[in-house]
Structure formats: structure tokens, C-alpha cells
Amino acid sequence: MSGPLRLTFVQSASRVDQLPESPAEVAFVGRSNVGKSSLVNALANRKQLARVSNTPGRTQLINMFEVDSARPDTATMVDLPGYGFAKAAKNITRDWPEMIEGYLLDRENLSMVFVLVDGVIGPTKLDEQMLDWLRYNGVPHTVVATKFDKVKSSKRATRKKELAAGCQLDQGDIVWVSASKGDGIDALRSLVRTWVG
Ligand code: GDP
């Protein structure tokens, strides 16, 4: 299978325990404003599947999508709320880390967590904490660096090196994407298919 991921919206949930079971799942997580909604839309080649927000931190829901895969039952992709936005409602910022941590540790059939890091400014302290936590807990994860088009061509080699070092990874471990221009989108689609297939 190639081409856009066929993503069908299943439901939004405010708590992970409201999500239906899934036979195979990948999740996307990242700081608010990292470009997660834009990336979900780019993967599906749709404009409005995930809401691109002008007000960072407003979309605090967990969004679940069915994703086409080689398997006979339905695989899923979960878009987790963005972390680290201070202006979000108090209860949400207080609740989410525990809730998300519970999901990342206990979700059955979660095969890969894609951690989005802003290609221009990342990794931030919070991204580093998230990566440390995932590593410490042995949760399988892949770093996706966003907004590749925003990095000047003359700076790209250095930025790739810096971002990888900041994430304590080799450059080749990181998937660089641009939701706006399409760089890396096919590669990421293939990875998603691999992990839910
Ligand atoms: P989210 O909060 O992580 O869901 O981020 P959004 O998808 O809402 O994007 C946050 C901002 O970054 C918006 O203004 C987007 O237009 C912008 N953005 C997202 N992806 C890209 C990209 O690949 N290139 C550029 N130049 N801007 C992007």
C-alpha cells in the first residue's frame, strides 16, 4: 500500500479509558504548536481532519482514527493532546500527564509512539523530559522533526546535527517532515503502516 493514509475519524475522548480497544495502534505526541494537527492532515492528505489551531493549547482532546493497514481488523492512530501549554484550563494541564503516562505505559497493542519535535526550535526542555521518560520506561518511540521547510537550506545540516544531539539520537534515527511542503511525509506514512501492519 502507498499514497495517503486512509484515516477515518473514530472519536474524541477526554480520557484514555474512553478509547475502544485496538488490535494495533500508533500514537502521536508533542508540545502544543509543534505541528501535530498539520502533520495528521498531511499524512491523510486532507485539510481539516485534525483541527489546526490558531490558539495553541485549546485542543486538549484525544483523537482516535482508524488507519488503513494490511491487517483484516482495524488498526488505529491516536493523536494525544499537546503538552506544555500553560494557558490551557488548569484541570487539563494538571490531569493530562498522569492520564497520558497511563496510556503510554498500559495501552495494549501500542506499537510505536511518534514524538514530534519542532524542527526549528526543538528539542525543548519538555521534549527532553518526554524522551527521557519514554526511554526510562522502555516505551518504543521515534522522533519526528517538524517544519523542515522553515529551516533555511544553509542551516539544515547543522540543525539536523543539533536536534539529534539534543534528543541523544543519531541523525539517521530522526524522521524530518514538512506538513506544508510534503518532505518526509511518504516516509512517515510507510513507518506508520509498518507499525500498524
Ligand atoms: P499542533 O498544536 O501541534 O496541532 O500544531 P498545528 O498543526 O496547529 O500547527 C501550529 C502552527 O505551525 C500553525 O501555525 C501551522 O500552520 C504551523 N505549521 C505546522 N506544520 C508546519 C510546517 O510543516 N511548516 C510550516 N512552515 N509551518 C507549519
Side-chain angles (χ1 to χ4, degrees), residues 12-13 30 32-33 36-37 50-63 79-83 85 88 92 96:
S12 290
S32 296
N33 220 34
K36 189 155 50 64
S37 309
R51 182 131 49 92
V52 176
S53 168
N54 291 321
T55 317
R58 273 191 66 186
T59 355
Q60 288 291 338
L61 291 172
I62 300 153
N63 299 305
D79 170 16
L80 295 168
Y83 51 78
F85 189 74
I92 293 169
W96 89 250

Side-chain angles (χ1 to χ4, degrees), residues 110-181:
L110 176 63
S111 54
M112 184 51 67
V113 178
F114 292 98
V115 183
L116 274 53
V117 168
D118 192 307
V120 181
I121 60 167
T124 64
K125 270 269 164 300
L126 272 173
D127 296 328
E128 288 173 20
Q129 280 169 23
M130 174 58 95
L131 292 171
D132 282 348
W133 184 88
L134 291 166
R135 242 173 243 135
Y136 177 81
N137 288 288
V139 179
H141 58 280
T142 300
V143 171
V144 177
T146 62
K147 308 182 188 178
F148 184 59
D149 62 287
K150 280 182 87 176
V151 183
K152 280 199 192 123
S153 341
S154 59
K155 300 252 166 76
R156 283 181 179 167
T158 316
R159 190 79 268 272
K160 282 183 170 177
K161 214 182 274 179
E162 277 171 9
L163 189 137
C167 295
Q168 298 177 48
L169 291 169
D170 293 333
Q171 287 190 56
D173 295 334
I174 293 173
V175 186
W176 277 84
V177 295
S178 163
S180 311
K181 302 288 182 202

